[in-house]
Amino acid sequence: MILHATYREGRNTSLPCLVWLHGFLGSHREWLALCENFADWPQLLVDLPGHGESANVVAGDFTQVDKLLRNTLLSYNILNYWLVGYSLGGRVAMYHACQGGNRGLCGLIVEGAHPGLADENARYERKNSDHLWAQRLSTEPLTAVLSDWYQQPVFHSLNDEQRRALISTRSQNNALTLAAMLEATSLGNQPDLQAALKKLPLPFYYLCGERDEKFRAVAQSLELSPHVIAAAGHNAHRENPAAFSACLLNLCSK
């Protein structure tokens, strides 16, 4: 089984493919507004399990998500690639990079993604929290759940208009498959990748919004100097796509 994905040929076929991984509630469409800025590169825009046109694809844990991603890369004959992942997509990318058996991986770029919790109590609390959100997704109108979801502190920089736009876009999702994916890939179920990430033998860049204090601190905990996107919060690629694209173009061209 593979994930749904959209492939775009690049003007320079010798460049590695940029593989885009969206965050929770998103889809491959999340990146469409940015793709034109990377027309030199081959690109693969992936729908993660439970999302977009992969809504009927089920994964029980990170191992299964990674297997689906690997199968998808093989099916498109993508042998050299960068992973670019936001939030949940960044966690999937980091997990993939730390598992080995990925000789084609040229580099890793993540935006506002957590490497994993080291503290067992924190992991337990996060699993409980995600379980409660999953229950709400399974039993309540999706728009009502999303309205509360985007009131969480990590989204504090969104204004009312941005919040309404996200709720409108995300309301097209399948709430039940989102709930299943949320529990399967809860941060409480994710391995702590911090030690492995510090030993990666490939370029690893961390991006986050200027107003995303939580993930600026996460980057520093990984002993990385984050690339800060001005005038943006947690969802930096949506809030300041021009600055985000400029930063990525610079990193990919090194």
Side-chain angles (χ1 to χ4, degrees):
M1 182 176 289
I2 66 171
L3 297 167
H4 174 269
T6 298
Y7 180 75
R8 292 187 170 205
E9 292 187 359
R11 289 192 291 244
N12 185 345
T13 56
S14 68
L15 290 173
C17 184
L18 300 180
V19 179
W20 302 87
L21 303 173
H22 60 80
F24 181 64
L25 300 173
S27 76
H28 75 280
R29 297 182 182 280
E30 186 82 15
W31 307 110
L32 290 176
L34 304 178
C35 281
E36 297 304 324
N37 299 326
F38 300 87
D40 283 346
W41 280 264
Q43 301 178 64
L44 188 73
L45 292 75
V46 177
D47 279 339
L48 291 172
H51 293 75
E53 295 182 54
S54 297
N56 294 324
V57 180
V58 177
D61 54 27
F62 276 90
T63 300
Q64 292 180 14
V65 176
D66 187 47
K67 184 176 181 180
L68 288 163
L69 175 60
R70 289 170 190 261
N71 290 346
T72 307
L73 294 175
L74 281 175
S75 74
Y76 283 89
N77 196 32
I78 293 174
L79 304 178
N80 294 292
Y81 58 99
W82 282 72
L83 290 180
V84 184
Y86 163 63
S87 194
L88 171 60
R91 294 198 281 127
V92 171
M94 290 188 285
Y95 182 88
H96 175 88
C98 292
Q99 302 311 301
N102 45 25
R103 292 172 56 189
L105 181 61
C106 302
L108 185 64
I109 300 174
V110 303
E111 172 197 0
H114 203 294
L117 297 167
D119 181 78
E120 281 301 322
N121 288 330
R123 294 167 65 86
Y124 177 78
E125 290 175 4
R126 180 56 184 257
K127 277 196 286 190
N128 278 345
S129 174
D130 285 339
H131 177 64
L132 292 174
W133 279 112
Q135 283 189 318
R136 290 194 62 187
L137 284 167
S138 302
T139 57
E140 298 180 24
L142 182 53
T143 52
V145 181
L146 293 175
S147 180
D148 289 343
W149 178 269
Y150 286 113
Q151 294 294 337
Q152 295 182 94
V154 73
F155 298 112
H156 72 92
S157 66
L158 295 174
N159 59 38
D160 288 344
E161 182 180 354
Q162 291 170 322
R163 196 170 277 113
R164 282 195 296 271
L166 279 169
I167 292 170
S168 175
T169 300
R170 307 308 197 210
S171 296
Q172 308 305 314
N173 279 302
N174 182 321
L176 294 178
T177 60
L178 289 178
M181 185 62 173
L182 179 60
E183 296 226 60
T185 58
S186 166
L187 184 58
N189 290 327
Q190 178 184 316
D192 176 13
L193 304 171
Q194 296 188 51
L197 288 168
K198 291 176 182 176
K199 298 177 182 175
L200 282 181
L202 46 80
F204 175 24
Y205 301 114
Y206 198 102
L207 279 61
C208 56
E210 181 181 27
R211 297 193 290 265
D212 193 351
E213 294 88 358
K214 175 180 178 181
F215 285 95
R216 290 179 68 172
V218 166
Q220 289 162 359
S221 75
L222 288 167
E223 301 174 2
L224 298 169
S225 297
H227 296 265
V228 177
I229 308 302
H234 181 55
N235 206 330
H237 67 276
R238 286 180 67 94
E239 295 176 45
N240 194 344
F244 183 88
S245 294
C247 181
L248 238 67
L249 282 168
N250 180 52
L251 296 175
C252 294
S253 301
K254 285 185 176 178

